Amino acid sequence: MEPVVAVHGGAGKWRIGPDEEARVRKALSDAVSAGLTALARGNAVDAVVEAVAAMEDSGVFNAGVGSVYTISGRVQMDAGVMDGNGKAGAVASVEDVGNPVRLAKYVLENTEHVLVVGDGARELARAAGLLAPRSRFYDDRKNARFGEMKLEASAGRWHYRKVLELAKALGIGDTVGAVARDKDGNLAAATSTGGVWLKLDGRVGDSPIPGAGFWAENGVAAFSATGVGEAIILSMASFRAALLVKSGMAIDRALEEVVGVVTEKFGSDTIGILGIDKTGRVAAAFNTHAMARGWGSGKEVKRIALWRDEIWP
Ligand code: ASP
């Protein structure tokens, strides 16, 4: 079977200039290449982890060193990975971890747990050699944005309970994710994020929750979601998509259906979702202005797209 990998760099407003757009496209393409290289030697889990790690390292997206800040200016990240054989690993609200997706894989491979948080996650990160200096997560661009965001938020008289409205108003971000099918037909999915700007310290989104921010099921499909975490959790978006595909619906229709359900309940600008089915067909759907996405198979990056009207897949 031809190995296939697809990636996303989040759904949202993407009000960006040409230089930034070029950086996003290059980072997506590099992530697809990293996934394809991993697929040539390894399995679907390796591919999604390498693709997501490349995006975490790029600094271009809201994940890894590019992660956004909480209300108190901390960087707290969530990530999850699932093997189509039914096993998953995830971490939530971790700090000082350069590649949360690698820590999620460590949980998957070295523990019998699904989700690890807090001091325990930090200890695992130390054991796995994944801790990074805190200064790597801060830069002038993000510091400036943090100042602007706080002003925008206070102008809207925001208070803590309105995180969903806040995320929609400030623009949900560029969380990253990947799905893959390897040569043996195994599927995998991974998602990694810094969450949403100005989230409460300790807030956990959909990205480390199996069935919400990611899901993989051999013989069916694999998914990675992005958008307002609260809406995605309450819709169980990835699991919902898997059920639809399992019932016989084509993957592109299933994703449109899931986006429709989320839009009806939570409004537009709330979700983007990427998937691959057992035949290797890639699909994406979103109710935002744009969604950064790309895919490749064999040795070739086939497509990178950002806007709605671009040819896809
Ligand atoms: N889903 C992420 C979260 O709510 C944010 C995003 O996708 O940009 O944590």
Side-chain angles (χ1 to χ4, degrees):
M1 254 180 242
E2 177 96 315
V4 182
V5 64
V7 306
H8 72 79
K13 294 194 171 96
W14 287 101
R15 284 196 218 95
I16 53 176
D19 291 353
E20 176 75 0
E21 181 173 337
R23 265 201 300 279
V24 169
R25 287 182 188 274
K26 167 145 193 337
L28 290 169
S29 175
D30 290 348
V32 172
S33 298
L36 291 176
T37 303
L39 275 175
R41 303 189 290 260
N43 59 26
V45 168
D46 297 325
V48 293
V49 168
E50 292 311 314
V52 166
M55 291 186 281
E56 289 173 337
D57 290 339
S58 72
V60 170
F61 303 103
N62 171 20
V65 295
S67 294
V68 302
Y69 302 168
T70 69
I71 187 71
S72 72
R74 290 163 76 168
V75 173
Q76 298 186 325
M77 299 161 286
D78 303 333
V81 57
M82 185 158 179
D83 187 327
N85 69 8
K87 284 192 70 183
V91 292
S93 213
V94 291
E95 295 179 270
D96 310 322
V97 177
N99 292 115
V101 75
R102 293 198 193 284
L103 189 55
K105 184 174 187 239
Y106 191 86
V107 171
L108 186 155
E109 289 176 345
N110 297 285
T111 78
E112 288 170 335
H113 305 311
V114 171
L115 178 57
V116 181
V117 305
D119 294 348
R122 193 175 186 85
E123 275 317 302
L124 282 187
R126 196 186 309 281
L130 290 170
L131 287 179
R134 184 156 293 186
S135 57
R136 281 196 63 203
F137 298 88
Y138 291 86
D139 61 40
D140 292 344
R141 188 180 58 94
K142 285 199 285 178
N143 293 341
R145 189 80 186 112
F146 182 52
E148 287 163 22
M149 288 277 182
K150 284 213 290 197
L151 277 180
E152 281 179 48
S154 56
R157 285 180 294 283
W158 170 68
H159 61 96
Y160 285 139
R161 272 174 298 163
K162 293 286 195 288
V163 67
L164 197 147
E165 284 86 341
L166 179 80
K168 283 173 67 172
L170 297 184
I172 39 160
D174 7 337
T175 285
V176 304
V179 292
R181 186 194 67 168
D182 63 27
K183 63 178 179 347
D184 301 316
N186 295 309
L187 299 170
T191 305
S192 177
T193 189
V196 290
W197 275 108
L198 308 189
K199 67 184 181 181
L200 277 182
D201 291 359
R203 175 268 194 186
V204 174
D206 58 299
S207 310
I209 312 290
F214 65 104
W215 187 257
E217 200 169 333
N218 284 346
V220 183
F223 303 96
S224 171
T226 173
V228 178
E230 288 70 14
I232 298 170
I233 293 172
L234 293 173
S235 318
M236 279 285 130
S238 293
F239 187 65
R240 189 181 287 267
L243 285 182
L244 292 173
V245 172
K246 211 170 181 169
S247 77
M249 196 181 278
I251 189 162
D252 33 9
R253 259 200 66 208
L255 293 187
E256 292 295 347
E257 176 100 8
V258 168
V259 168
V261 168
V262 177
T263 308
E264 198 174 313
K265 242 171 128 180
F266 300 97
S268 57
D269 289 325
T270 47
I271 186 169
I273 181 164
L274 172 80
I276 188 169
D277 71 8
K278 64 176 179 189
T279 71
R281 180 164 177 82
V282 170
F286 47 101
N287 65 8
T288 52
H289 178 58
M291 180 171 178
R293 55 213 192 274
W295 72 280
S297 69
K299 290 196 168 84
E300 214 186 323
V301 177
K302 299 275 190 195
R303 186 90 60 205
I304 301 297
L306 196 51
W307 313 113
R308 188 171 289 284
D309 55 8
E310 284 182 75
I311 297 168
W312 174 266

